[in-house]
Amino acid sequence: SQKIEQNSEALNIQEGKTATLTCNYTNYSPAYLQWYRQDPGRGPVFLLLIRENEKEKRKERLKVTFDTTLKQSLFHITASQPADSATYLCALDKDYGGSQGNLIFGKGTKLSVKP
Amino acid sequence: DAGVTQSPTHLIKTRGQQVTLRCSPKSGHDTVSWYQQALGQGPQFIFQYYEEEERQRGNFPDRFSGHQFPNYSSELNVNALLLGDSALYLCASSFSREAFFGQGTRLTVV
């Protein structure tokens, strides 16, 4: 069956450093991979989407890479700030006729950025 | 734009009861998906509605059912509640690929 793993339950880093989060998956070939941020008691918020034929995507301080051979995505936050502290979720996007299909989420990585 | 709104925000039910959760999608979005998120876990897909039809369904029993109305709003119904149904229920609407989530309904079954 499909399996998606985020390598760390928690990641603690110092303000200003780069946070790197890992997402690995098996038994699946997603058309897209998405990253979301979730704060306690709130719904996930969309951050970035990367297609299977893209290697890298950037948005401000965020960068996502996608290696379909390794079945892995890396999510980077550069110049991290305490406000970046949250849980980050990786999701496989099962394409449905060109529309968003059901998202298969990992458990998430809780990032804490210390001042 | 109000975004995705869910009601109620919190709910306590007794085992065996039935519950209905409601979702209003973001303006212009025609697809609504429901997810269940247990504590410490990622959201799990329940089902997706498009044009008032259930288009996809995850691995959830028939006790979980839904509906989408002509204005694209949606309901999630759960019958014969079990203690294990306690979770955060999330509604997400979409028009293209990215999903916009509501704040969720925290359901506690006692």
Side-chain angles (χ1 to χ4, degrees):
Chain A
S1 62
Q2 303 144 3
K3 193 173 179 183
I4 179 169
E5 285 184 347
Q6 294 188 244
N7 67 328
S8 301
E9 284 191 9
L11 180 65
N12 299 309
I13 64 167
Q14 206 65 33
E15 183 176 8
K17 301 293 185 184
T18 296
T20 299
L21 286 64
T22 305
C23 175
N24 294 292
Y25 59 93
T26 58
N27 299 331
Y28 202 70
S29 296
Y32 304 84
L33 192 143
Q34 303 191 22
W35 284 88
Y36 288 78
R37 169 185 172 140
Q38 187 172 27
D39 292 285
R42 309 294 296 270
V45 174
F46 173 81
L47 295 175
L48 278 172
L49 172 153
I50 188 164
R51 293 174 173 78
E52 60 178 340
N53 60 354
E54 294 179 314
K55 296 294 184 188
E56 182 179 299
K57 198 83 168 277
R58 290 176 185 260
K59 180 182 175 183
E60 297 172 352
R61 295 185 295 112
L62 309 180
K63 184 177 87 170
V64 173
T65 63
F66 194 12
D67 189 325
T68 54
T69 302
L70 291 178
K71 294 187 181 292
Q72 180 182 80
S73 175
L74 299 179
F75 178 79
H76 307 271
I77 306 175
T78 57
S80 59
Q81 305 164 2
D84 295 326
S85 298
T87 295
Y88 291 85
L89 298 161
C90 162
L92 306 181
D93 181 347
K94 188 173 182 179
D95 185 54
Y96 190 93
S99 302
Q100 181 214 94
N102 58 296
L103 296 174
I104 303 169
F105 282 92
K107 286 186 179 181
T109 295
K110 185 175 181 180
L111 174 67
S112 295
V113 181
K114 304 297 182 187
Chain B
D1 183 3
V4 179
T5 57
Q6 292 186 241
S7 62
T9 53
H10 295 83
L11 201 52
I12 299 175
K13 288 286 190 178
T14 302
R15 194 170 38 180
Q17 285 188 315
Q18 179 264 343
V19 68
T20 297
L21 310 182
R22 295 177 175 81
C23 172
S24 291
K26 187 175 168 64
S27 177
H29 287 188
D30 56 5
T31 302
V32 173
S33 302
W34 287 91
Y35 292 81
Q36 180 194 67
Q37 186 174 26
L39 210 58
Q41 303 294 316
Q44 272 201 295
F45 177 76
I46 303 175
F47 41 56
Q48 182 182 83
Y49 277 85
Y50 174 72
E51 292 190 345
E52 302 179 54
E53 296 284 333
E54 182 183 289
R55 184 162 74 171
Q56 300 179 76
R57 188 178 183 93
N59 190 24
F60 278 80
D62 292 345
R63 297 187 297 108
F64 290 77
S65 64
H67 190 78
Q68 185 179 36
F69 299 93
N71 66 353
Y72 305 129
S73 67
S74 177
E75 287 181 351
L76 164 66
N77 301 293
V78 187
N79 294 322
L81 284 166
L82 304 174
L83 296 179
D85 295 331
S86 295
L88 181 67
Y89 287 84
L90 295 162
C91 168
S93 72
S94 58
F95 180 72
S96 58
R97 299 232 70 88
E98 60 188 81
F100 289 79
F101 284 84
Q103 82 283 4
T105 294
R106 170 70 64 186
L107 173 64
T108 303
V109 183
V110 298

